[in-house]
Structures are given as C-alpha cells and as structure tokens.
C-alpha cells in the first residue's frame, strides 16, 4: 500500500471502535513503523484555546484576557485517544520552527509550546488547527483496517481541514468521493 500520509481517513459505518464513529482523520504520518493521525471533526466540549493558554501559563493572564474573542474562544479539538494531554497543531507552511514536521507541501505539524504562543500572540500561522491527543496504529494495523472496510481514504484539501465547519466535515469528505452517508455499507466487497 502506498504511503497515506497527508490524506484523510473517513470512518465507515461498520467501524467497531465507537470513538471513531463518523470520524475524519488527517494522517500526519504513515510508514513501516505504523501510522499517526488527528481527528479533525470532533470538538472537546467546554474547553477553549484560552483555557489551554491559562493551564500552560503561556502568557501574562492580563494579555490572555485581552486577546480577541476569535483567538480566546477558538475550539480545541479531540485529536484522538492516544496521548490525550499532549497538544498538536496542524498549520499552514508559513509557520515553521525547528520542531515542525512537514505533512504536505502546504501543511506542517508542530507539537511544542512555541506554536501555541505564536497562535496567541504572533506571528501566527495563516491557518491552524489545535488538538489534544492523536490516533496511532502499529505496523500493518491501518492497512488491515482499510482492507476490512473500516476506512475510506480521501485526498487532502486545505478546505476540509480549515474552512468547512466541524459538524459538516464527515459529510463533505464523503461528498468529495461522490458518496452520501446513506449509500455507505458496512460490508466489505472483495473480488
């Protein structure tokens, strides 16, 4: 199987793990060692970006309070069930630190405090996505789940990651393949 890094996974109806029901995951790594991804369509309730800044003491409390509401009230996403207390930021390639991993030509992944400070106080990436936790697969596990009809793959688009409302991402990912949720079957077909 070709490397799937930089593509989206879309959960099929037969997904046995309820944590991934109707999820859309951006694969940020895929290779012989396994795979890693971030769920991009599940917000954490009652948690904002300002809460994270406060918790990590990433700025003077008065400066955090003065941040524009657009930054303060930004959603925190549930990136997955692995390392749930660790933050990951997907961002446009205009931001780069020595700790940024290139996912695609346009998107990087940074998991250090410097990107959170930049998102709050500048210079911020043009677009960014903050998640707590990630998804992980051991070698061959993801390929097996795909073969068993657990996931569809969808080519990366910046719009699906940054522009489409969170609650519409599952439907829109399927639509990009000319599929509707109602037309999906949980049965795998093999020739």
């Amino acid at each position: 199987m070709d490397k799937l890094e930089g593509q989206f996974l879309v959960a099929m109806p037969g997904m046995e793990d309820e944590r991934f029901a109707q999820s859309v995951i951006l694969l940020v790594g895929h290779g012989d060692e396994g795979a890693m991804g971030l769920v991009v369509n599940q917000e954490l309730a009652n948690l904002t970006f300002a809460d994270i800044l406060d918790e990590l003491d990433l700025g003077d409390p008065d400066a955090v309070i003065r941040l524009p509401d657009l930054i303060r009230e930004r959603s925190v996403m549930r990136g997955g069930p692995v390392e749930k207390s660790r933050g990951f930021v997907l961002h446009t390639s205009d931001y780069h630190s020595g700790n940024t991993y290139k996912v695609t030509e346009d998107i990087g992944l940074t998991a250090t405090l410097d990107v959170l400070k930049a998102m709050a106080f500048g210079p911020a990436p043009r677009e960014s996505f903050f998640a707590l936790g990630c998804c992980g697969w051991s070698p061959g596990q993801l390929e097996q789940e795909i073969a068993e009809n657990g996931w569809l793959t969808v080519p990366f688009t910046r719009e699906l990651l940054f522009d489409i409302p969170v609650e519409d991402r599952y439907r829109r990912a399927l639509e990009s393949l000319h599929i509707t949720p109602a037309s999906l079957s949980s049965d795998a077909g093999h020739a």
Side-chain angles (χ1 to χ4, degrees), residues 2-61:
D2 291 334
K3 285 181 104 175
L4 298 174
E5 186 171 295
Q7 294 188 42
F8 291 105
L9 295 176
V10 179
M12 292 290 286
M15 175 58 63
E16 293 178 11
D17 190 333
E18 282 299 312
R19 298 174 297 179
F20 298 111
Q22 294 192 346
S23 64
V24 178
I25 297 172
L26 178 64
L27 281 176
V28 297
H30 180 237
D32 294 337
E33 305 83 37
M36 178 187 163
L38 297 174
V39 177
V40 300
N41 68 327
Q42 297 177 7
E43 293 178 330
L44 287 170
N46 305 317
L47 188 64
T48 66
F49 189 62
D51 296 329
I52 298 296
L53 296 174
D54 287 339
E55 177 77 22
L56 296 174
D57 198 22
L58 288 181
D60 173 34

Side-chain angles (χ1 to χ4, degrees), residues 6-179:
Q7 294 188 42
F8 291 105
L9 295 176
V10 179
M12 292 290 286
M15 175 58 63
E16 293 178 11
D17 190 333
E18 282 299 312
R19 298 174 297 179
F20 298 111
Q22 294 192 346
S23 64
V24 178
I25 297 172
L26 178 64
L27 281 176
V28 297
H30 180 237
D32 294 337
E33 305 83 37
M36 178 187 163
L38 297 174
V39 177
V40 300
N41 68 327
Q42 297 177 7
E43 293 178 330
L44 287 170
N46 305 317
L47 188 64
T48 66
F49 189 62
D51 296 329
I52 298 296
L53 296 174
D54 287 339
E55 177 77 22
L56 296 174
D57 198 22
L58 288 181
D60 173 34
D62 290 334
V64 172
I65 290 171
R66 288 191 302 270
L67 286 171
D69 286 345
L70 185 64
I71 295 173
R72 285 185 48 72
E73 301 304 319
R74 175 182 214 147
S75 297
V76 175
M77 304 300 287
R78 180 190 149 307
V82 178
E83 297 188 60
K84 293 190 281 190
S85 62
R86 185 169 180 200
F88 298 89
V89 177
L90 289 168
H91 53 81
T92 48
S93 59
D94 57 326
Y95 177 86
H96 192 279
S97 77
N99 299 308
T100 298
Y101 175 77
K102 183 177 168 183
V103 177
T104 71
E105 288 298 317
D106 302 322
I107 301 297
L109 173 73
T110 305
T112 55
L113 297 179
D114 58 329
V115 70
L116 297 179
K117 289 179 186 175
M119 289 169 64
F121 306 109
R126 188 173 58 257
E127 296 177 292
S128 58
F129 170 99
F130 176 66
L132 287 175
C134 65
C135 305
W137 292 266
S138 59
Q141 182 183 1
L142 178 59
E143 293 81 358
Q144 185 64 36
E145 290 179 14
I146 291 170
E148 293 171 353
N149 206 38
W151 303 100
L152 290 173
T153 58
V154 173
F156 175 80
T157 66
R158 188 201 56 73
E159 293 79 18
L160 187 59
L161 181 60
F162 295 121
D163 297 341
I164 295 172
V166 171
E167 63 274 7
D168 294 335
R169 289 179 183 168
Y170 182 75
R171 179 182 54 79
R172 293 288 293 274
L174 291 174
E175 285 176 358
S176 74
L177 298 173
H178 307 289
I179 298 171

